[in-house]
Amino acid sequence: MVKTLFGQVKQYKKVSMLTPLFTALEVFMEVLIPKEKGLSNVIPYFYIFLVAGMLISKFSTQKMIDAGKHKILVVISLVVLFITMGSYFFMATAVHLLAAGFLLGIGYGILQPLFQSFVTGTTPGPKRGTANATYLLSYDIGIGIGSFVMGMFQESIGLSAGFAVTAAAYVIGGIIYAAYVDRYYLKLQQKQQ
């Protein structure tokens, strides 16, 4: 069982390399930045806007995901997330926090099902459960590692500046996607046909 798990992690780690970009967001951003900026009373509404963005992106992009138009969706989501994270440096109002939550939901709502379709779409039927479990395991590991690294990093420069700097991680993720993940995905997809 352990040998199979390690084999699956090795095969699907390419897709999950972008996962740590989202992990620190889940732990720090929704609570600590609003407190630092005096916007704590808006936090519950942040989640409503985040979920609304995720729902809109899910319903509006699912047909594109099913049609295999993943390149444009990755570019759109990374650009939206880059702008959103960069804007945290200038955050000062509740409206900005809510807009950032909505845009974060759109970007994340595109990438999460897209990554899952990468994993399940390139895996033979009998192995899809293992592939999905491996993807979700790597996501959870990324949450732990991302939170730890971002916590150490942001302690020295502050939360707003730290999250603005993470916008660069989306650029790096985009480069990794363009240079490696896209070709790897297409190769696996062609192998299945």
Side-chain angles (χ1 to χ4, degrees):
M1 181 173 157
V2 172
K3 185 177 179 183
T4 304
L5 181 61
F6 284 128
Q8 294 296 320
V9 168
K10 184 177 178 184
Q11 183 177 357
Y12 297 106
K13 72 180 180 184
K14 285 92 176 169
V15 174
S16 63
M17 287 173 71
L18 297 175
T19 301
L21 300 176
F22 302 105
T23 58
L25 302 175
E26 293 184 60
V27 178
F28 291 107
M29 185 175 61
E30 292 90 357
V31 177
L32 298 177
I33 288 179
K35 281 185 180 179
E36 185 180 86
K37 299 289 187 174
L39 302 171
S40 295
N41 60 335
V42 184
I43 292 172
Y45 303 106
F46 174 88
Y47 288 109
I48 292 170
F49 278 76
L50 178 75
V51 169
M54 291 177 81
L55 287 172
I56 288 171
S57 67
K58 173 69 175 160
F59 292 130
S60 63
T61 60
Q62 189 58 51
K63 287 183 181 180
M64 290 178 73
I65 291 172
D66 293 342
K69 298 180 180 179
H70 61 276
K71 287 181 189 178
I72 188 68
L73 292 173
V74 169
V75 170
I76 289 169
S77 61
L78 288 177
V79 167
V80 167
L81 291 167
F82 174 81
I83 291 169
T84 302
M85 295 311 292
S87 78
Y88 272 89
F89 188 72
F90 306 104
M91 183 176 294
T93 67
V95 172
H96 187 165
L97 179 64
L98 297 177
F102 181 75
L103 291 173
L104 181 66
I106 287 184
Y108 187 71
I110 293 171
L111 280 185
Q112 183 67 12
L114 188 60
F115 286 168
Q116 205 136 16
S117 77
F118 283 175
V119 170
T120 58
T122 58
T123 306
K127 293 185 176 184
R128 285 190 179 148
T130 305
N132 197 37
T134 303
Y135 167 71
L136 294 173
L137 174 66
S138 66
Y139 180 78
D140 289 341
I141 290 169
I143 289 173
I145 293 170
S147 299
F148 179 72
V149 170
M150 291 299 292
M152 289 188 332
F153 178 65
Q154 291 177 346
E155 178 120 3
S156 61
I157 64 171
L159 291 170
S160 296
F163 278 102
V165 169
T166 61
Y170 291 103
V171 173
I172 294 167
I175 292 168
I176 291 169
Y177 172 81
Y180 188 72
V181 174
D182 187 49
R183 279 187 273 153
Y184 179 77
Y185 174 71
L186 292 174
K187 184 176 90 174
L188 287 177
Q189 213 174 29
Q190 289 171 354
K191 196 189 284 188
Q192 270 197 329
Q193 294 175 354

